[in-house]
Amino acid sequence: MKEQKFIHEGLITESLPNGMFRVRLDNKDVILGYVSGRIRRSFIRILPGDRVKIETKAIPRIGSRRNGRIGSRKNGRRIPKGIIHVQASFNNTIVTVTDVRGRVVSWASAGTSGFKGTRRGTPYAAQAAALNAIRTVVNQGMQRAEVMIKGPGLGRDAALRAIRRSGILLSFVRDVTPMPHNGCRPPKKRRV
């Protein structure tokens, strides 16, 4: 099935790093856009107030094909309480939803949510991943959850904000980032 694409016109309201920008469309919606394709980002200057044409496409409802299959197979199971694990590295953010026994119910990552390359490490990508992972479990009746956050990535706070906005009551939020008690010996110093 071919993806349906739409062309909109709008005004840039804010310029962001990595070739990204916020656009206010003519119908007053504000969306996040980015320069794509083989265009060298360093040669294009995107300034607030510029008028642009932007191509949009619908975001798929579920992050990956595998995710959808799991959701349809386990829809009969009601899960009132669960644990949401957020693993935020500098390159990606993975959100896994499990039941209280630790069995995976749903998962999504910035990569499966349609982000590629350096954009996977952005807070917006983490937010999209969290929403994709939670969408299936909310349909299965999850009302309460515990949140375990691991890693130093930019997506930590954005994923937590998306989880809060989803309507699930959070019993607690715990940081489970592994901290060594001076464990492994570091690699030797580089000689330049």
Side-chain angles (χ1 to χ4, degrees):
M1 195 172 104
K2 196 167 182 185
E3 287 179 344
Q4 203 173 8
K5 295 185 178 176
F6 308 97
I7 306 265
H8 298 285
E9 282 196 32
L11 210 66
I12 292 178
T13 57
E14 185 184 359
S15 184
L16 301 165
N18 288 342
M20 297 174 87
F21 47 87
R22 272 205 177 76
V23 182
R24 184 181 299 281
L25 302 178
D26 293 339
N27 62 1
K28 301 292 182 231
D29 286 344
V30 177
I31 62 170
L32 196 69
Y34 61 88
V35 179
S36 77
R38 295 183 179 273
I39 303 167
R40 302 277 294 279
R41 288 194 193 120
S42 54
F43 296 144
I44 289 190
R45 199 141 184 92
I46 298 162
L47 299 169
D50 288 351
R51 194 144 182 81
V52 289
K53 265 189 184 173
I54 196 158
E55 186 179 275
T56 59
K57 63 182 177 185
I59 296 174
R61 279 199 119 16
I62 294 172
S64 69
R65 202 170 61 206
R66 186 172 163 209
N67 229 358
R69 204 164 61 232
I70 287 175
S72 61
R73 193 169 58 217
K74 294 191 180 172
N75 254 350
R77 223 168 77 201
R78 304 292 289 169
I79 305 155
K81 192 171 190 295
I83 305 168
I84 301 169
H85 301 268
V86 178
Q87 186 182 344
S89 69
F90 291 118
N91 297 323
N92 204 353
T93 304
I94 303 168
V95 181
T96 309
V97 184
T98 66
D99 58 11
V100 285
R101 288 177 57 188
R103 293 178 296 186
V104 174
V105 180
S106 167
W107 69 273
S109 69
T112 60
S113 300
F115 294 89
K116 296 274 183 284
T118 53
R119 283 193 294 278
R120 283 186 316 187
T122 60
Y124 180 70
Q127 183 182 326
L131 288 172
N132 278 343
I134 287 169
R135 191 177 286 131
T136 39
V137 292
V138 168
N139 296 341
Q140 290 179 25
M142 186 180 279
Q143 291 139 5
R144 298 183 67 81
E146 303 165 0
V147 180
M148 309 281 201
I149 299 178
K150 183 191 284 188
L154 295 171
R156 290 164 58 101
D157 301 334
L160 184 58
R161 271 197 297 273
I163 293 164
R164 284 232 164 120
R165 276 203 299 262
S166 69
I168 294 176
L169 292 169
L170 303 182
S171 46
F172 66 80
V173 178
R174 185 182 290 169
D175 187 10
V176 290
T177 307
M179 296 294 282
H181 298 278
N182 266 359
C184 295
R185 179 176 172 156
K188 65 174 188 274
K189 286 241 183 346
R190 282 184 66 223
R191 287 197 282 271
V192 184

